[in-house]
Amino acid sequence: MLLTENEAHTPRYSFATECMPLLAQIIPPTAIVPYADDINAKKRGCKLSISRSAIPLHLSYVVTDIFTQGATFKKDEPFLLHFGAERWKAANIRVPITRQVSMDDVHLLAPLGEGMSREKALDRLGKALTPKPAFVREMTHRAAQEAALLSSPMYKDMVDQCRAQDADMRQRGQLPRHASSVQAAWGASARAVYACPVCKESLDGAETEGPTPAQRGEAQRSTKKRGARKLPTNNEGLDARTRRAHAGLERRVLAPGAKVVSAFVHEPLSEGEAASWLTVMDTGCASRRMRRSRLDDVLVSFPHEVQVVLTRKSMQILADQNGWLEDDIMTAGLWMLQVGIPLKPL
Amino acid sequence: MCTPSIDVIRTSTPGGLALFNLVQKLWDHNRQPADVEEILDVINSRVCSPDDIDRLLRLCPRAVVLRNVVKLSLSMYLAKNHASQLGVRFTHWRCADVGIEGAAKRQLSPECIRLLDGQDCSKTQNLDAFLAFFPGCRYSFATSEMPEIGWCNNGLCTGVRLLLHPDEPADDVGKSFRRLENQPVGIVVRLEDADIGDVLMDERVPSGCVPVKQKSVRFQVRGPLGACCALASSCC
């Protein structure tokens, strides 16, 4: 029954005796029991119930534009684009095109606006690309944030350094992962900004040691009480107890030997990478409403570029290996913003 | 204005610079009608010619569409092309559908099955009516059984082996493709990212692979299609 790549289809074995034990070994019992999803038909009318048995796989040769968000198409795996003649929205047009790295890689199966007059196509395209006022306000706000960030001398040197290194690598024909270049460039300079924004103390040396159980407990309690969104941007208006809690919190999120890295990472981190880095930001996966709302709060609180979210896998690895709560990891990200690590793709 | 993901574009090449300019125009919120016209012309200048299609098909391309309804037919075409490029045999089959009336099951008529074939998978509990297999076939998972190893909805994997139904008749090796009479009981796929190693401890299931077994779902077709299906079902 199991066919190798070079085998014909003729040899067959008993599924019950040969294959079922294999399935049972890897798949939990709950997963191999077929189940039926009943739909409660609320709409009246003629209907027919169908039971379908199929292998839960799709051919992935065709994907939707939603699937391609956060992806970068590779040159050796071309993607054909088909916009069809309906449901044009700004994202529908922008997303598939901006996943390419060159215009030479854009291949349309049919013209945009096929089957309609040019005037109608222009009218629909113009309407589709016209953003809503709220979106314009948001993007203007972020553009102002980016301008403020780039004009700051403290960040300008770091950004220029990373871009220069990146350009140098590109000239040499190597396109490194952004994370690698950022890590190499910021490995030393990041220590200079490790001062706690609350108590203004350096976190080098003994300060970077792991938290004591008391600190961890206190910080966790304070995290639950205050919530990540209430992390203040400076030490004004804080009493001594809150300052101590913050100091413990920020010490806790800095694991010994950890490096602060913010990067534009498309792939989930491996375990080794996640263990050596403090955290990694991903700008393409802000789809969860809960995290989006937190980031919206951050946008108001911090004057820097904040289109960031941790990858789920990275969060899981960090949580498993270091025992951090989700709030802690988010707080680490917020704290990085606070101390001035530029969080934007380089 | 911010132009997300624009830093990925390689502006050092002419093609990259052209795409950079196009993306800037797409993100320009103060564009004029002439700009829209230019955008349309630039995008339409990239429509594939027949020669381009031939060249791209040799690279086994994938496609991006805006609607789910055209996914399955185009996927089948590209999968056949991929199998042809790899020089392997293409095997395909249809899933098993039965009508449910109370506690009784009844066979659907061919007319009803044809009506169901045209349904979007979003209306059939995320299971397609057709599926194909060949070694190297690209799949995406339709369920989220084990997200920790990448077996989650839309997670990518590659087909390795087919688990045929015990009653499947012998193969006619003279044909370039094979249509299965019975739906296979599963497909062994190789995961994209997760390295699960030799979990099965069995040489017949390669390292890093998991078997995906068939599952059953129940859904209802309503409205005109339901009426047609019910009528077709009652006639069989």
Side-chain angles (χ1 to χ4, degrees), chain A residues 179 182-183 186 194 253-255 258-263 265 269 273-282 308-311 314-315 318 322 324 326 328-337 341 343:
Chain A
V182 173
Q183 185 185 27
W186 293 357
Y194 272 5
V253 300
L254 274 178
K259 295 176 182 176
V260 179
V261 174
S262 65
V265 177
L269 291 180
E273 289 171 328
S276 61
W277 296 358
L278 174 63
T279 184
V280 167
M281 303 297 166
D282 188 352
V308 291
V309 144
L310 290 162
T311 60
S314 302
M315 291 181 69
L318 289 170
N322 303 325
W324 293 348
E326 182 179 338
D328 301 338
I329 302 172
M330 286 303 297
T331 306
L334 302 190
W335 182 78
M336 287 167 61
L337 300 175
I341 303 297
L343 294 170

mmCIF file of all heavy atoms in Angstrom, chain A residues 179 182-183 186 194 253-255 258-263 265 269 273-282 308-311 314-315 318 322 324 326 328-337 341 343:
data_model
loop_
_atom_site.group_PDB
_atom_site.id
_atom_site.type_symbol
_atom_site.label_atom_id
_atom_site.label_comp_id
_atom_site.label_asym_id
_atom_site.label_seq_id
_atom_site.Cartn_x
_atom_site.Cartn_y
_atom_site.Cartn_z
ATOM 1 N N ALA A 179 17.678 39.809 9.570
ATOM 2 C CA ALA A 179 17.965 39.597 10.984
ATOM 3 C C ALA A 179 19.457 39.422 11.218
ATOM 4 O O ALA A 179 19.998 39.920 12.203
ATOM 5 C CB ALA A 179 17.216 38.375 11.488
ATOM 6 N N VAL A 182 21.255 42.802 11.002
ATOM 7 C CA VAL A 182 20.917 43.652 12.142
ATOM 8 C C VAL A 182 21.594 43.138 13.400
ATOM 9 O O VAL A 182 22.138 43.905 14.199
ATOM 10 C CB VAL A 182 19.389 43.697 12.323
ATOM 11 C CG1 VAL A 182 19.034 44.420 13.602
ATOM 12 C CG2 VAL A 182 18.753 44.390 11.151
ATOM 13 N N GLN A 183 21.602 41.836 13.553
ATOM 14 C CA GLN A 183 22.226 41.271 14.740
ATOM 15 C C GLN A 183 23.715 41.572 14.762
ATOM 16 O O GLN A 183 24.270 41.959 15.779
ATOM 17 C CB GLN A 183 22.004 39.758 14.758
ATOM 18 C CG GLN A 183 22.519 39.111 16.028
ATOM 19 C CD GLN A 183 22.404 37.611 15.980
ATOM 20 O OE1 GLN A 183 22.415 37.037 14.910
ATOM 21 N NE2 GLN A 183 22.289 37.002 17.125
ATOM 22 N N TRP A 186 24.226 45.386 15.436
ATOM 23 C CA TRP A 186 23.757 45.908 16.707
ATOM 24 C C TRP A 186 24.260 45.123 17.909
ATOM 25 O O TRP A 186 23.916 45.436 19.029
ATOM 26 C CB TRP A 186 22.233 45.932 16.744
ATOM 27 C CG TRP A 186 21.660 46.898 15.788
ATOM 28 C CD1 TRP A 186 22.336 47.762 14.975
ATOM 29 C CD2 TRP A 186 20.286 47.104 15.539
ATOM 30 N NE1 TRP A 186 21.473 48.483 14.229
ATOM 31 C CE2 TRP A 186 20.199 48.108 14.545
ATOM 32 C CE3 TRP A 186 19.118 46.560 16.034
ATOM 33 C CZ2 TRP A 186 18.991 48.569 14.058
ATOM 34 C CZ3 TRP A 186 17.915 47.021 15.555
ATOM 35 C CH2 TRP A 186 17.859 48.013 14.575
ATOM 36 N N TYR A 194 20.930 49.854 26.885
ATOM 37 C CA TYR A 194 20.293 48.941 27.819
ATOM 38 C C TYR A 194 19.909 49.608 29.133
ATOM 39 O O TYR A 194 19.588 48.940 30.086
ATOM 40 C CB TYR A 194 21.230 47.768 28.133
ATOM 41 C CG TYR A 194 21.082 46.616 27.168
ATOM 42 C CD1 TYR A 194 20.254 46.717 26.074
ATOM 43 C CD2 TYR A 194 21.765 45.428 27.364
ATOM 44 C CE1 TYR A 194 20.129 45.679 25.186
ATOM 45 C CE2 TYR A 194 21.636 44.381 26.482
ATOM 46 C CZ TYR A 194 20.824 44.511 25.392
ATOM 47 O OH TYR A 194 20.701 43.483 24.520
ATOM 48 N N VAL A 253 13.032 40.482 31.610
ATOM 49 C CA VAL A 253 12.890 40.210 30.185
ATOM 50 C C VAL A 253 14.223 40.184 29.473
ATOM 51 O O VAL A 253 14.297 39.781 28.330
ATOM 52 C CB VAL A 253 11.970 41.251 29.511
ATOM 53 C CG1 VAL A 253 10.608 41.198 30.140
ATOM 54 C CG2 VAL A 253 12.556 42.635 29.587
ATOM 55 N N LEU A 254 15.288 40.624 30.137
ATOM 56 C CA LEU A 254 16.610 40.521 29.528
ATOM 57 C C LEU A 254 17.291 39.260 30.049
ATOM 58 O O LEU A 254 17.838 39.243 31.130
ATOM 59 C CB LEU A 254 17.455 41.736 29.884
ATOM 60 C CG LEU A 254 17.282 42.946 28.980
ATOM 61 C CD1 LEU A 254 18.136 44.085 29.463
ATOM 62 C CD2 LEU A 254 17.655 42.595 27.568
ATOM 63 N N ALA A 255 17.235 38.219 29.288
ATOM 64 C CA ALA A 255 17.885 36.993 29.698
ATOM 65 C C ALA A 255 19.392 37.175 29.632
ATOM 66 O O ALA A 255 19.885 37.974 28.841
ATOM 67 C CB ALA A 255 17.462 35.848 28.777
ATOM 68 N N ALA A 258 21.487 37.675 26.344
ATOM 69 C CA ALA A 258 20.552 37.868 25.247
ATOM 70 C C ALA A 258 20.933 39.105 24.443
ATOM 71 O O ALA A 258 21.521 40.044 24.961
ATOM 72 C CB ALA A 258 19.138 38.030 25.784
ATOM 73 N N LYS A 259 20.619 39.054 23.192
ATOM 74 C CA LYS A 259 20.866 40.202 22.332
ATOM 75 C C LYS A 259 19.533 40.763 21.889
ATOM 76 O O LYS A 259 18.616 40.021 21.553
ATOM 77 C CB LYS A 259 21.674 39.774 21.109
ATOM 78 C CG LYS A 259 23.071 39.300 21.454
ATOM 79 C CD LYS A 259 23.764 38.802 20.215
ATOM 80 C CE LYS A 259 25.146 38.270 20.566
ATOM 81 N NZ LYS A 259 25.820 37.700 19.399
ATOM 82 N N VAL A 260 19.469 42.054 21.868
ATOM 83 C CA VAL A 260 18.231 42.700 21.435
ATOM 84 C C VAL A 260 18.270 42.802 19.918
ATOM 85 O O VAL A 260 19.176 43.386 19.351
ATOM 86 C CB VAL A 260 18.097 44.090 22.062
ATOM 87 C CG1 VAL A 260 16.822 44.755 21.576
ATOM 88 C CG2 VAL A 260 18.090 43.972 23.568
ATOM 89 N N VAL A 261 17.311 42.219 19.316
ATOM 90 C CA VAL A 261 17.268 42.219 17.859
ATOM 91 C C VAL A 261 15.860 42.556 17.425
ATOM 92 O O VAL A 261 14.901 41.972 17.907
ATOM 93 C CB VAL A 261 17.643 40.834 17.284
ATOM 94 C CG1 VAL A 261 17.448 40.825 15.783
ATOM 95 C CG2 VAL A 261 19.072 40.494 17.630
ATOM 96 N N SER A 262 15.748 43.497 16.577
ATOM 97 C CA SER A 262 14.462 43.725 15.934
ATOM 98 C C SER A 262 14.704 43.647 14.450
ATOM 99 O O SER A 262 15.656 44.209 13.941
ATOM 100 C CB SER A 262 13.902 45.089 16.311
ATOM 101 O OG SER A 262 14.722 46.106 15.809
ATOM 102 N N ALA A 263 13.886 42.939 13.776
ATOM 103 C CA ALA A 263 14.166 42.683 12.369
ATOM 104 C C ALA A 263 12.885 42.373 11.638
ATOM 105 O O ALA A 263 11.834 42.201 12.243
ATOM 106 C CB ALA A 263 15.146 41.525 12.220
ATOM 107 N N VAL A 265 11.458 39.689 9.867
ATOM 108 C CA VAL A 265 11.701 38.263 9.690
ATOM 109 C C VAL A 265 10.433 37.621 9.148
ATOM 110 O O VAL A 265 9.348 37.812 9.687
ATOM 111 C CB VAL A 265 12.085 37.610 11.023
ATOM 112 C CG1 VAL A 265 12.246 36.125 10.829
ATOM 113 C CG2 VAL A 265 13.381 38.216 11.518
ATOM 114 N N LEU A 269 11.465 31.509 13.855
ATOM 115 C CA LEU A 269 12.831 31.256 14.291
ATOM 116 C C LEU A 269 13.027 29.791 14.631
ATOM 117 O O LEU A 269 12.096 29.106 15.028
ATOM 118 C CB LEU A 269 13.132 32.073 15.543
ATOM 119 C CG LEU A 269 13.225 33.570 15.354
ATOM 120 C CD1 LEU A 269 13.521 34.215 16.680
ATOM 121 C CD2 LEU A 269 14.305 33.892 14.364
ATOM 122 N N GLU A 273 18.027 30.031 17.427
ATOM 123 C CA GLU A 273 17.952 31.471 17.248
ATOM 124 C C GLU A 273 17.131 32.114 18.347
ATOM 125 O O GLU A 273 17.508 33.137 18.916
ATOM 126 C CB GLU A 273 17.344 31.786 15.882
ATOM 127 C CG GLU A 273 18.252 31.470 14.721
ATOM 128 C CD GLU A 273 17.523 31.599 13.399
ATOM 129 O OE1 GLU A 273 16.307 31.337 13.376
ATOM 130 O OE2 GLU A 273 18.158 31.937 12.421
ATOM 131 N N ALA A 274 16.015 31.510 18.652
ATOM 132 C CA ALA A 274 15.150 32.099 19.661
ATOM 133 C C ALA A 274 15.812 32.080 21.032
ATOM 134 O O ALA A 274 15.578 32.955 21.851
ATOM 135 C CB ALA A 274 13.820 31.346 19.707
ATOM 136 N N ALA A 275 16.645 31.074 21.269
ATOM 137 C CA ALA A 275 17.285 30.993 22.576
ATOM 138 C C ALA A 275 18.352 32.065 22.742
ATOM 139 O O ALA A 275 18.580 32.558 23.836
ATOM 140 C CB ALA A 275 17.909 29.608 22.752
ATOM 141 N N SER A 276 19.020 32.447 21.663
ATOM 142 C CA SER A 276 20.101 33.415 21.781
ATOM 143 C C SER A 276 19.611 34.841 21.597
ATOM 144 O O SER A 276 20.278 35.770 21.990
ATOM 145 C CB SER A 276 21.188 33.111 20.763
ATOM 146 O OG SER A 276 20.661 33.206 19.453
ATOM 147 N N TRP A 277 18.487 35.016 20.999
ATOM 148 C CA TRP A 277 17.968 36.356 20.824
ATOM 149 C C TRP A 277 16.930 36.615 21.896
ATOM 150 O O TRP A 277 16.243 35.703 22.347
ATOM 151 C CB TRP A 277 17.314 36.515 19.460
ATOM 152 C CG TRP A 277 18.269 36.372 18.328
ATOM 153 C CD1 TRP A 277 19.608 36.159 18.396
ATOM 154 C CD2 TRP A 277 17.939 36.406 16.949
ATOM 155 N NE1 TRP A 277 20.134 36.065 17.153
ATOM 156 C CE2 TRP A 277 19.152 36.218 16.244
ATOM 157 C CE3 TRP A 277 16.763 36.591 16.247
ATOM 158 C CZ2 TRP A 277 19.185 36.207 14.862
ATOM 159 C CZ3 TRP A 277 16.808 36.588 14.876
ATOM 160 C CH2 TRP A 277 18.010 36.401 14.191
ATOM 161 N N LEU A 278 16.812 37.849 22.215
ATOM 162 C CA LEU A 278 15.780 38.188 23.189
ATOM 163 C C LEU A 278 14.393 38.030 22.571
ATOM 164 O O LEU A 278 13.535 37.370 23.095
ATOM 165 C CB LEU A 278 15.967 39.632 23.669
ATOM 166 C CG LEU A 278 14.857 40.115 24.581
ATOM 167 C CD1 LEU A 278 14.847 39.280 25.833
ATOM 168 C CD2 LEU A 278 15.035 41.570 24.902
ATOM 169 N N THR A 279 14.225 38.615 21.445
ATOM 170 C CA THR A 279 12.930 38.517 20.799
ATOM 171 C C THR A 279 13.069 38.971 19.361
ATOM 172 O O THR A 279 14.049 39.580 18.986
ATOM 173 C CB THR A 279 11.880 39.374 21.517
ATOM 174 O OG1 THR A 279 10.628 39.156 20.903
ATOM 175 C CG2 THR A 279 12.217 40.843 21.444
ATOM 176 N N VAL A 280 12.128 38.642 18.590
ATOM 177 C CA VAL A 280 12.151 39.043 17.183
ATOM 178 C C VAL A 280 10.787 39.577 16.822
ATOM 179 O O VAL A 280 9.768 39.024 17.207
ATOM 180 C CB VAL A 280 12.505 37.849 16.280
ATOM 181 C CG1 VAL A 280 12.218 38.176 14.826
ATOM 182 C CG2 VAL A 280 13.964 37.499 16.433
ATOM 183 N N MET A 281 10.779 40.647 16.136
ATOM 184 C CA MET A 281 9.528 41.263 15.748
ATOM 185 C C MET A 281 9.204 40.884 14.298
ATOM 186 O O MET A 281 10.076 40.789 13.458
ATOM 187 C CB MET A 281 9.632 42.788 15.845
ATOM 188 C CG MET A 281 10.016 43.280 17.203
ATOM 189 S SD MET A 281 8.773 42.835 18.414
ATOM 190 C CE MET A 281 9.688 43.165 19.903
ATOM 191 N N ASP A 282 7.968 40.729 14.063
ATOM 192 C CA ASP A 282 7.515 40.407 12.721
ATOM 193 C C ASP A 282 6.469 41.433 12.332
ATOM 194 O O ASP A 282 5.543 41.679 13.089
ATOM 195 C CB ASP A 282 6.924 39.001 12.698
ATOM 196 C CG ASP A 282 6.618 38.556 11.291
ATOM 197 O OD1 ASP A 282 6.732 39.400 10.385
ATOM 198 O OD2 ASP A 282 6.275 37.407 11.104
ATOM 199 N N VAL A 308 4.684 46.140 14.849
ATOM 200 C CA VAL A 308 5.434 44.956 15.261
ATOM 201 C C VAL A 308 4.521 43.931 15.902
ATOM 202 O O VAL A 308 3.525 44.263 16.512
ATOM 203 C CB VAL A 308 6.541 45.313 16.276
ATOM 204 C CG1 VAL A 308 7.621 46.108 15.627
ATOM 205 C CG2 VAL A 308 5.969 46.031 17.447
ATOM 206 N N VAL A 309 4.892 42.705 15.737
ATOM 207 C CA VAL A 309 4.205 41.616 16.422
ATOM 208 C C VAL A 309 5.168 40.454 16.503
ATOM 209 O O VAL A 309 5.987 40.251 15.624
ATOM 210 C CB VAL A 309 2.922 41.221 15.659
ATOM 211 C CG1 VAL A 309 2.695 39.756 15.720
ATOM 212 C CG2 VAL A 309 1.726 41.927 16.238
ATOM 213 N N LEU A 310 5.112 39.734 17.563
ATOM 214 C CA LEU A 310 5.960 38.549 17.681
ATOM 215 C C LEU A 310 5.344 37.409 16.896
ATOM 216 O O LEU A 310 4.136 37.251 16.882
ATOM 217 C CB LEU A 310 6.067 38.138 19.145
ATOM 218 C CG LEU A 310 6.875 39.062 20.023
ATOM 219 C CD1 LEU A 310 6.543 38.817 21.462
ATOM 220 C CD2 LEU A 310 8.336 38.860 19.787
ATOM 221 N N THR A 311 6.195 36.626 16.261
ATOM 222 C CA THR A 311 5.652 35.452 15.593
ATOM 223 C C THR A 311 5.145 34.484 16.657
ATOM 224 O O THR A 311 5.688 34.407 17.763
ATOM 225 C CB THR A 311 6.725 34.750 14.756
ATOM 226 O OG1 THR A 311 7.781 34.355 15.618
ATOM 227 C CG2 THR A 311 7.265 35.680 13.706
ATOM 228 N N SER A 314 7.774 31.957 17.670
ATOM 229 C CA SER A 314 8.810 32.527 18.512
ATOM 230 C C SER A 314 8.307 32.724 19.929
ATOM 231 O O SER A 314 9.003 32.446 20.906
ATOM 232 C CB SER A 314 9.271 33.858 17.922
ATOM 233 O OG SER A 314 9.743 33.686 16.626
ATOM 234 N N MET A 315 7.083 33.203 20.028
ATOM 235 C CA MET A 315 6.515 33.398 21.362
ATOM 236 C C MET A 315 6.414 32.074 22.097
ATOM 237 O O MET A 315 6.697 31.969 23.289
ATOM 238 C CB MET A 315 5.134 34.048 21.248
ATOM 239 C CG MET A 315 5.183 35.480 20.780
ATOM 240 S SD MET A 315 3.550 36.200 20.690
ATOM 241 C CE MET A 315 3.141 36.303 22.406
ATOM 242 N N LEU A 318 9.907 30.980 23.166
ATOM 243 C CA LEU A 318 10.367 31.774 24.299
ATOM 244 C C LEU A 318 9.615 31.400 25.572
ATOM 245 O O LEU A 318 10.191 31.321 26.657
ATOM 246 C CB LEU A 318 10.178 33.266 23.995
ATOM 247 C CG LEU A 318 11.126 33.843 22.946
ATOM 248 C CD1 LEU A 318 10.702 35.241 22.561
ATOM 249 C CD2 LEU A 318 12.541 33.862 23.475
ATOM 250 N N ASN A 322 11.929 29.740 28.476
ATOM 251 C CA ASN A 322 12.251 30.670 29.550
ATOM 252 C C ASN A 322 11.139 30.822 30.574
ATOM 253 O O ASN A 322 11.291 31.547 31.539
ATOM 254 C CB ASN A 322 12.593 32.047 28.956
ATOM 255 C CG ASN A 322 13.730 31.955 27.959
ATOM 256 O OD1 ASN A 322 14.629 31.150 28.140
ATOM 257 N ND2 ASN A 322 13.679 32.737 26.921
ATOM 258 N N TRP A 324 8.425 32.394 30.182
ATOM 259 C CA TRP A 324 7.821 33.725 30.143
ATOM 260 C C TRP A 324 6.349 33.623 29.813
ATOM 261 O O TRP A 324 5.926 32.791 29.035
ATOM 262 C CB TRP A 324 8.511 34.587 29.097
ATOM 263 C CG TRP A 324 9.926 34.906 29.438
ATOM 264 C CD1 TRP A 324 10.548 34.718 30.638
ATOM 265 C CD2 TRP A 324 10.904 35.437 28.570
ATOM 266 N NE1 TRP A 324 11.843 35.119 30.567
ATOM 267 C CE2 TRP A 324 12.090 35.568 29.303
ATOM 268 C CE3 TRP A 324 10.895 35.837 27.246
ATOM 269 C CZ2 TRP A 324 13.259 36.075 28.759
ATOM 270 C CZ3 TRP A 324 12.055 36.345 26.703
ATOM 271 C CH2 TRP A 324 13.213 36.454 27.456
ATOM 272 N N GLU A 326 2.964 35.391 28.126
ATOM 273 C CA GLU A 326 2.788 36.166 26.900
ATOM 274 C C GLU A 326 2.915 37.656 27.177
ATOM 275 O O GLU A 326 3.497 38.406 26.395
ATOM 276 C CB GLU A 326 1.419 35.860 26.287
ATOM 277 C CG GLU A 326 1.179 36.577 24.982
ATOM 278 C CD GLU A 326 -0.166 36.231 24.390
ATOM 279 O OE1 GLU A 326 -0.702 35.163 24.750
ATOM 280 O OE2 GLU A 326 -0.682 37.002 23.603
ATOM 281 N N ASP A 328 4.764 38.983 29.357
ATOM 282 C CA ASP A 328 6.170 39.312 29.530
ATOM 283 C C ASP A 328 6.844 39.549 28.190
ATOM 284 O O ASP A 328 7.633 40.482 28.027
ATOM 285 C CB ASP A 328 6.891 38.178 30.258
ATOM 286 C CG ASP A 328 6.278 37.912 31.609
ATOM 287 O OD1 ASP A 328 5.624 38.814 32.142
ATOM 288 O OD2 ASP A 328 6.439 36.803 32.118
ATOM 289 N N ILE A 329 6.525 38.684 27.244
ATOM 290 C CA ILE A 329 7.170 38.813 25.941
ATOM 291 C C ILE A 329 6.703 40.084 25.248
ATOM 292 O O ILE A 329 7.492 40.800 24.627
ATOM 293 C CB ILE A 329 6.861 37.574 25.078
ATOM 294 C CG1 ILE A 329 7.339 36.311 25.815
ATOM 295 C CG2 ILE A 329 7.552 37.664 23.748
ATOM 296 C CD1 ILE A 329 6.924 35.031 25.156
ATOM 297 N N MET A 330 5.443 40.365 25.380
ATOM 298 C CA MET A 330 4.957 41.611 24.805
ATOM 299 C C MET A 330 5.598 42.796 25.500
ATOM 300 O O MET A 330 5.956 43.788 24.872
ATOM 301 C CB MET A 330 3.435 41.691 24.936
ATOM 302 C CG MET A 330 2.684 40.791 23.986
ATOM 303 S SD MET A 330 3.086 41.099 22.256
ATOM 304 C CE MET A 330 2.521 42.781 22.080
ATOM 305 N N THR A 331 5.765 42.678 26.803
ATOM 306 C CA THR A 331 6.392 43.764 27.536
ATOM 307 C C THR A 331 7.832 43.953 27.088
ATOM 308 O O THR A 331 8.329 45.070 27.002
ATOM 309 C CB THR A 331 6.353 43.466 29.043
ATOM 310 O OG1 THR A 331 5.004 43.200 29.401
ATOM 311 C CG2 THR A 331 6.854 44.652 29.826
ATOM 312 N N ALA A 332 8.488 42.850 26.782
ATOM 313 C CA ALA A 332 9.845 42.957 26.270
ATOM 314 C C ALA A 332 9.861 43.764 24.985
ATOM 315 O O ALA A 332 10.723 44.623 24.771
ATOM 316 C CB ALA A 332 10.420 41.564 26.023
ATOM 317 N N GLY A 333 8.887 43.489 24.130
ATOM 318 C CA GLY A 333 8.811 44.254 22.891
ATOM 319 C C GLY A 333 8.545 45.722 23.155
ATOM 320 O O GLY A 333 9.175 46.604 22.577
ATOM 321 N N LEU A 334 7.652 45.980 24.081
ATOM 322 C CA LEU A 334 7.342 47.374 24.407
ATOM 323 C C LEU A 334 8.553 48.067 25.004
ATOM 324 O O LEU A 334 8.827 49.221 24.712
ATOM 325 C CB LEU A 334 6.171 47.434 25.399
ATOM 326 C CG LEU A 334 4.872 46.777 24.959
ATOM 327 C CD1 LEU A 334 3.771 47.139 25.921
ATOM 328 C CD2 LEU A 334 4.507 47.207 23.569
ATOM 329 N N TRP A 335 9.261 47.337 25.843
ATOM 330 C CA TRP A 335 10.418 47.937 26.481
ATOM 331 C C TRP A 335 11.485 48.262 25.444
ATOM 332 O O TRP A 335 12.167 49.263 25.519
ATOM 333 C CB TRP A 335 10.969 46.989 27.534
ATOM 334 C CG TRP A 335 12.124 47.577 28.254
ATOM 335 C CD1 TRP A 335 12.089 48.505 29.244
ATOM 336 C CD2 TRP A 335 13.491 47.297 27.999
ATOM 337 N NE1 TRP A 335 13.347 48.819 29.631
ATOM 338 C CE2 TRP A 335 14.246 48.091 28.890
ATOM 339 C CE3 TRP A 335 14.168 46.456 27.136
ATOM 340 C CZ2 TRP A 335 15.621 48.058 28.920
ATOM 341 C CZ3 TRP A 335 15.537 46.434 27.154
ATOM 342 C CH2 TRP A 335 16.250 47.233 28.053
ATOM 343 N N MET A 336 11.627 47.396 24.443
ATOM 344 C CA MET A 336 12.587 47.680 23.396
ATOM 345 C C MET A 336 12.223 48.951 22.664
ATOM 346 O O MET A 336 13.085 49.750 22.296
ATOM 347 C CB MET A 336 12.639 46.511 22.427
ATOM 348 C CG MET A 336 13.348 45.315 23.002
ATOM 349 S SD MET A 336 13.058 43.872 22.014
ATOM 350 C CE MET A 336 13.745 44.383 20.479
ATOM 351 N N LEU A 337 10.950 49.158 22.463
ATOM 352 C CA LEU A 337 10.537 50.413 21.854
ATOM 353 C C LEU A 337 10.894 51.581 22.745
ATOM 354 O O LEU A 337 11.335 52.628 22.306
ATOM 355 C CB LEU A 337 9.024 50.403 21.626
ATOM 356 C CG LEU A 337 8.481 49.316 20.739
ATOM 357 C CD1 LEU A 337 6.974 49.389 20.721
ATOM 358 C CD2 LEU A 337 9.012 49.476 19.348
ATOM 359 N N ILE A 341 15.130 51.052 20.420
ATOM 360 C CA ILE A 341 15.561 50.204 19.321
ATOM 361 C C ILE A 341 14.620 50.458 18.149
ATOM 362 O O ILE A 341 13.416 50.290 18.281
ATOM 363 C CB ILE A 341 15.498 48.717 19.704
ATOM 364 C CG1 ILE A 341 16.333 48.464 20.946
ATOM 365 C CG2 ILE A 341 15.991 47.854 18.560
ATOM 366 C CD1 ILE A 341 17.790 48.731 20.760
ATOM 367 N N LEU A 343 12.306 49.872 15.355
ATOM 368 C CA LEU A 343 11.595 48.676 14.923
ATOM 369 C C LEU A 343 11.017 48.923 13.546
ATOM 370 O O LEU A 343 9.880 49.297 13.396
ATOM 371 C CB LEU A 343 10.489 48.339 15.913
ATOM 372 C CG LEU A 343 11.003 47.929 17.275
ATOM 373 C CD1 LEU A 343 9.872 47.851 18.253
ATOM 374 C CD2 LEU A 343 11.704 46.603 17.181
#
